[in-house]
Amino acid sequence: QVQLVESGGGLVQAGGSLRLSCAASGRTFSTYTMGWFRQAPGREREFVTAISWSTGSTYYAHSVKGRFTISRDNAKNTVYLQMNSLKPDDTAVYYCAADRWVTVATMMSRSSHDCWGQGAQVTVSS
């Protein structure tokens, strides 16, 4: 398994941008489909986006489509989440997750994942 460490969270005004990074340990990062999830206070954790280990295909939740972009750099063992046009409703703790050798669809259907990061707080002020 890989270990995941998020960075890049913070406080931003509505309409602003942030980029989250999730760095993975080990030599098997390229075999993991990577995803971002978020959990707002008093709400359940929800899927945000994911990127396939094999094809690089991506999928986005409707609420972030067109504003957020996921990407990965296998040479750096890192997955990124570029967040633009942020809204107060995007305020949450953002977690990266990893599932080995699965499709994005499989990752989305799972209730648990192989690896989780510790989370990064994103706060969007109005």
Side-chain angles (χ1 to χ4, degrees), residues 3 10 18 21 29 58 64 75 85 87 95 100 103 106 108 111 114 118 123:
Q3 292 186 333
L18 280 176
S21 300
F29 175 77
T58 59
V64 306
S85 302
K87 306 174 182 179
Y95 299 90
R100 199 171 189 191
T103 64
T106 297
M108 292 172 60
S111 58
D114 294 347
Q118 84 286 357
T123 303

Side-chain angles (χ1 to χ4, degrees), residues 3-7 21-24 96 117-118:
Q3 292 186 333
L4 306 175
V5 178
E6 296 103 333
S7 61
S21 300
C22 175
C96 66
Q118 84 286 357

Side-chain angles (χ1 to χ4, degrees), residues 15-72:
S17 298
L18 280 176
R19 188 176 81 157
L20 300 180
S21 300
C22 175
S25 64
R27 300 180 179 180
T28 59
F29 175 77
S30 63
T31 64
Y32 284 83
T33 286
M34 301 298 297
W36 288 96
F37 297 75
R38 66 186 182 185
Q39 187 167 20
R43 301 180 65 176
E44 293 187 353
R45 188 173 296 181
E46 65 176 358
F47 170 84
V48 176
T49 181
I51 185 166
S52 167
W53 72 276
S54 57
T55 64
S57 62
T58 59
Y59 189 85
Y60 296 90
H62 177 74
S63 58
V64 306
K65 194 171 185 179
R67 300 187 298 121
F68 289 13
T69 301
I70 188 172
S71 61
R72 65 190 298 159

Side-chain angles (χ1 to χ4, degrees), residues 64-84:
V64 306
K65 194 171 185 179
R67 300 187 298 121
F68 289 13
T69 301
I70 188 172
S71 61
R72 65 190 298 159
D73 185 338
N74 288 341
K76 295 182 178 180
N77 279 12
T78 302
V79 63
Y80 303 97
L81 181 64
Q82 178 66 44
M83 303 182 290
N84 298 330

Side-chain angles (χ1 to χ4, degrees), residues 89-110:
D89 283 349
D90 295 318
T91 295
V93 178
Y94 284 71
Y95 299 90
C96 66
D99 284 325
R100 199 171 189 191
W101 291 326
V102 303
T103 64
V104 167
T106 297
M107 184 178 214
M108 292 172 60
S109 69
R110 288 182 169 182

